[in-house]
């Protein structure tokens, strides 16, 4: 049974036909993952799916020179990327993990690999971060070397499709506006092969953040030569509903 999402978890705005195309593609990918038994508990629908092979994809990412060069990683909080966060801590990297739905005024967990209350595996989870991390404001973050994002689907051209709430794009906009993410900051995702789509297959809007590297358990797809431009101009207030702004304390404070 698909998970019921809060209303502010849905697309904030945009062309109705484009949003419908995105929604249809999400349902297609979730159904494909479910049919192939490639999604772990609690299932694929309605979320960034925790996929079979997430650990293998994280290990493949770990072997890249771009990973080894990174000292600070900003990561999404979803279970699919927990193995990536775990390996970042094991490798001595500082991890900034977004608070789910940006629901706190200080919307990031700071995980210091030298000061963890639990093992890296436990500390990298949402529940573990509440013990091993402290919540920090955007102003307290340091520049980020690598951004890890979750996807429902991703194109070979770097086009990314999230679950529809726009939170990953908001995190990126907030960090970019604060100077923590620059034009050379690498954006990567780990996904199952069934989540990869051909170039041009994923509809995008101006606020969608493309990825540079797609890592599956089987391969690495370098999208840097093919991907579209990254969004500029910070937060796109006109695309946010009043409901979404009210649900994110930092947005309320920034607007006022």
């Amino acid at each position: 049974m698909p998970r019921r999402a809060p209303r502010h978890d849905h697309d904030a705005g945009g062309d109705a036909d484009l949003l419908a195309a995105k929604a249809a593609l999400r349902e297609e990918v979730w159904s494909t993952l479910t049919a192939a038994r490639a999604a772990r508990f609690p299932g694929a629908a309605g979320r960034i799916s925790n996929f079979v092979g997430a650990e293998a994809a994280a290990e493949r990412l770990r072997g890249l020179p771009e990973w080894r060069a990174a000292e600070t990683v900003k990561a999404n909080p979803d279970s699919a990327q927990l193995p990536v966060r775990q390996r970042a801590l094991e490798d001595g990297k500082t991890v900034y993990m977004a608070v789910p739905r940006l629901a706190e005024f200080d919307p990031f967990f700071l995980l210091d690999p030298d000061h963890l209350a639990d093992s890296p595996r436990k500390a990298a989870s949402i529940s573990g971060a509440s013990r091993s991390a402290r919540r920090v404001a955007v102003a307290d973050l340091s520049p980020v070397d690598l951004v890890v994002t979750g996807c429902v689907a991703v194109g070979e051209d770097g086009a990314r499709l999230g679950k529809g709430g726009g939170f990953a794009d908001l995190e990126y906009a907030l960090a970019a506006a604060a100077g923590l993410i620059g034009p050379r900051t690498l954006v990567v995702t780990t996904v199952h092969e069934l989540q990869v789509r051909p170039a041009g297959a994923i509809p995008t809007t101006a606020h969608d953040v493309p990825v540079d590297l797609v890592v599956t358990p089987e391969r690495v797809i370098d999208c840097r030569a093919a991907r579209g431009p990254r969004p500029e101009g910070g937060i796109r207030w006109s695309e946010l509903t009043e409901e979404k702004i009210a649900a994110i304390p930092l947005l309320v404070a920034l607007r006022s």
Side-chain angles (χ1 to χ4, degrees):
M1 194 75 175
R3 184 180 57 146
R4 260 190 186 278
R7 285 181 60 197
H8 63 273
D9 268 11
H10 298 296
D11 284 298
D15 178 80
D17 290 340
L18 187 144
L19 295 183
K22 283 187 171 187
L25 182 53
R26 288 187 195 101
E27 294 298 332
E28 175 195 315
V29 173
W30 288 329
S31 296
T32 300
L33 289 171
T34 300
R37 298 186 178 180
R40 293 171 169 160
F41 179 86
R47 66 187 74 246
I48 301 294
S49 309
N50 187 13
F51 61 94
V52 174
E55 294 80 9
E59 280 297 323
R60 190 171 291 278
L61 172 59
R62 193 182 207 176
L64 298 180
E66 292 89 348
W67 173 268
R68 293 193 292 271
E71 296 181 0
T72 304
V73 175
K74 188 192 86 63
N76 59 308
D78 301 280
S79 296
Q81 281 67 48
L82 190 154
V84 178
R85 301 192 299 272
Q86 173 187 342
R87 283 153 180 77
L89 294 174
E90 291 172 346
D91 292 349
K93 304 180 191 299
T94 299
V95 175
Y96 299 133
M97 183 173 76
V99 173
R101 296 185 177 87
L102 300 173
E104 303 289 339
F105 184 77
D106 295 333
F108 289 95
F109 290 112
L110 190 163
L111 285 160
D112 182 340
D114 295 326
H115 299 89
L116 300 177
D118 295 312
S119 68
R121 169 66 176 78
K122 289 184 177 179
S125 67
I126 294 172
S127 60
S130 65
R131 295 186 296 272
S132 287
R134 61 186 176 92
R135 287 187 175 90
V136 294
V138 174
D140 296 327
L141 303 182
S142 298
V144 173
D145 301 313
L146 185 73
V147 174
V148 179
T149 187
C151 298
V152 172
V154 65
E156 292 179 333
D157 56 356
R160 173 188 176 273
L161 180 69
K163 64 183 178 182
F167 293 102
D169 299 323
L170 271 175
E171 292 167 25
Y172 186 93
L174 288 167
L180 306 176
I181 294 174
R184 296 186 179 179
T185 306
L186 204 69
V187 180
V188 307
T189 191
T190 54
V191 293
H192 194 279
E193 275 288 336
L194 293 174
Q195 294 174 271
V196 180
R197 292 293 181 271
I202 295 181
T204 60
T205 62
H207 69 253
D208 290 323
V209 178
V211 304
D212 298 299
L213 297 176
V214 177
V215 184
T216 79
E218 289 80 22
R219 59 175 171 155
V220 176
I221 306 169
D222 192 329
C223 309
R224 282 173 282 194
R227 72 163 173 79
R230 292 181 178 176
E232 298 179 353
I235 299 168
R236 297 171 180 267
W237 294 99
S238 63
E239 298 178 7
L240 300 175
T241 63
E242 288 298 321
E243 187 175 30
K244 182 176 283 290
I245 293 171
I248 301 175
L250 182 57
L251 290 182
V252 175
L254 287 174
R255 189 170 66 169
S256 62

